[in-house]
Amino acid sequence: MGEAMGMIESDRTHSIADIAYACGYTDHSAFSRQFKSHTGMTPVQYRSHCHPK
């Protein structure tokens, strides 16, 4: 999960699905559920938190 968090923090060009696949997940929804369980927010929410507009 740390690798995915780092990728979300540093890379705004790749989709969350691309990041999930790069981290070894084949199911985007399973990645999102596990990410939320770990961080308390969805990957999209986490990206918005790291890169406010």
Side-chain angles (χ1 to χ4, degrees), residues 15-38:
S15 70
I16 298 298
D18 288 341
I19 291 171
Y21 297 136
C23 292
Y25 289 85
T26 56
D27 182 354
H28 176 266
S29 60
F31 168 75
S32 293
R33 281 192 305 274
Q34 190 168 11
F35 190 95
K36 185 171 183 175
S37 174
H38 183 77

